[in-house]
Each structure stands twice: as C-alpha cells, then as structure tokens.
C-alpha cells in the first residue's frame, strides 16, 4: 500500500532525510586525504552543505557550488557566516581539494575547467555507486528507468569522467553507505529528493512514481516499519596534471 506522504519539497527533503546517508563516504574521503587545518576544500554539487560542514569542523576552509538554487539557499543557512556557496564555479580556484561526492556526467564541464584553472597536483575526488550486486537501492532506482522508458542511467563511470576531463587517476576506495529511513514514507521522500526520479515524474506523474517506489521498497521494510538498504559507494581520487 502506498504510504501517506507529506508535501514533497525536494531540496528540504534532501537536507533533512537523504543527504546524511553518505556521511560514511564523506568521512572516509576526508580521513584518507587528511583534510584539516590548512586544507582548502571546494564542494562541486555541494547540495545543502553537509559535507562542507563536516570539512569545516575538521578545520578546513570551505566553499561550495551547486546548480540547485533551493539547495544553495539551505547550504547558506547551515554553514558558518562567510562561507561562499554559489550556483557557478568561482574564478581563480584557490583550493587544493575538490569534491564531487554525487558525481554525474553533468559535472564534466566543471571538471574540465579544473584541469585548466586549478593548481597542478590539486586533488579531485569523485563519488558514486559501487558494484550493483552490493547496492540494495539499485532495485528501487530501476523503477526510475522503467517509468521514464529508458535504460538505467543512474550509475556514473567515475574513471571515464576522470579520463574525459584530463585529470590523472591516483587511487580509489569503497565505503559502506546503508540507507536507513524512519518509515516507508520517509524513504520515498528521500529517494525522490535525489533527482533520480525527476524524468520518471515528468513521464508519468508524481503519485504513480511514489506508488511504484513504495512497492519496490517492500523487501527492505522491517517489522518496526523502518527501511534498511545496505549499499556500497565507490570514490576515485584524481590529481590535476
């Protein structure tokens, strides 16, 4: 049965429900790179700013970029005064770490710009889904492709992005990022906020997409009504040549 949902507000649902699911990824990357005092971090596709807030808590100077105006506004509310969050990549790029934890093919122009503007040796980290067989959410995300009448396209070729943008691949890693929700309705809202279902909503309608997401979630709903989906995410560390 389709859960009763509160009004859908994608940016706020992302900030309040979904963004924290990748905290293990953020922490693993910052630990591996030694992000801390003296680090200068620019988040590409920074969303509502949680990853930047975590870097700032480690002592780093941070700034963010996101194309979604609503998420930018939420990031500005959340981050300390003086932290720049914009809808366009700033000029000069005085940073030594660039993160794109939610990398998609759409970020290629920004990555290509980095190869021309950032200091040689600067670090670029791209994050995305791990192996399909280790991502329970894969079955749910396939709903988006089916309703939009296209092949599944939510999985990004991180190594391909590195090569296409002229960066030099250095290393990679995998991190467990389980998706846990307080209820089925919360899970539907959180997943809708990722943007993966936007095309499906345009092709059908929101209520139909909500219904089919809820049906796909059924195997992951526990006896107490919570939802738990184990996932593994992958990240690639690259360098500006």
């Amino acid at each position: 049965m389709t859960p009763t949902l509160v009004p859908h507000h994608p940016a706020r649902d992302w900030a309040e429900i979904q963004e924290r699911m990748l905290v293990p990824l953020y922490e693993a990357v910052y630990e591996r790179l030694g992000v801390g005092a003296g680090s200068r971090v620019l988040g590409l596709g920074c969303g509502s700013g949680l990853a930047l807030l975590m870097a700032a808590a480690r002592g780093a100077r941070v700034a963010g970029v996101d194309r979604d105006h609503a998420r930018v506004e939420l990031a500005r509310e959340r981050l300390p005064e003086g932290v720049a969050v914009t809808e366009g990549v700033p000029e000069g790029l005085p940073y030594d770490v660039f993160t794109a934890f939610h990398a998609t093919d759409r970020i290629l122009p920004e990555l290509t710009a980095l190869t021309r503007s950032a200091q040689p040796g600067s670090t670029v980290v791209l994050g995305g889904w791990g192996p399909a067989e280790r991502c329970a959410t894969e079955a749910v995300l396939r709903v988006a492709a089916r309703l939009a009448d296209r092949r599944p396209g939510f999985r990004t070729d991180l190594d391909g992005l590195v090569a296409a943008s002229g960066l030099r691949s250095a290393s990679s890693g995998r991190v467990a990022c389980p998706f846990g929700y307080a209820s089925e309705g919360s899970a539907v809202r959180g997943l809708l906020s990722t943007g993966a279902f936007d095309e499906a909503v345009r092709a059908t309608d929101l209520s139909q997409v909500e219904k089919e997401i809820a049906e796909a979630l059924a195997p992951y709903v526990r006896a107490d009504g919570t939802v738990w989906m184990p996932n593994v995410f992958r990240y690639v560390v690259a360098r500006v040549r």
Side-chain angles (χ1 to χ4, degrees), residues 29-93:
V29 168
Y30 291 154
E31 187 66 25
R32 180 161 183 171
L33 299 182
V35 169
S39 300
R40 297 167 298 170
V41 178
L42 177 66
L44 301 172
C46 68
S48 49
L50 179 57
L52 293 180
L53 189 64
M54 292 171 60
R58 298 172 69 99
R61 294 173 55 192
V62 302
V65 177
D66 201 286
R67 298 178 184 179
D68 188 311
H69 176 74
R71 293 190 186 188
V72 166
E73 290 300 309
L74 289 172
R76 288 171 177 166
E77 293 175 11
R78 169 184 278 173
L79 289 162
E81 185 176 355
V83 173
V85 183
T86 64
E87 294 175 47
V89 177
E91 297 181 1
L93 301 181

Side-chain angles (χ1 to χ4, degrees), residues 2 48 155 186 192 214:
T2 304
S48 49
R155 187 170 295 280
S186 178
L192 282 169

Side-chain angles (χ1 to χ4, degrees), residues 98-110:
F98 300 85
T99 62
F101 288 117
H102 317 284
T104 69
D105 293 341
R106 294 182 62 202
I107 205 170
L108 182 58
E110 287 89 340

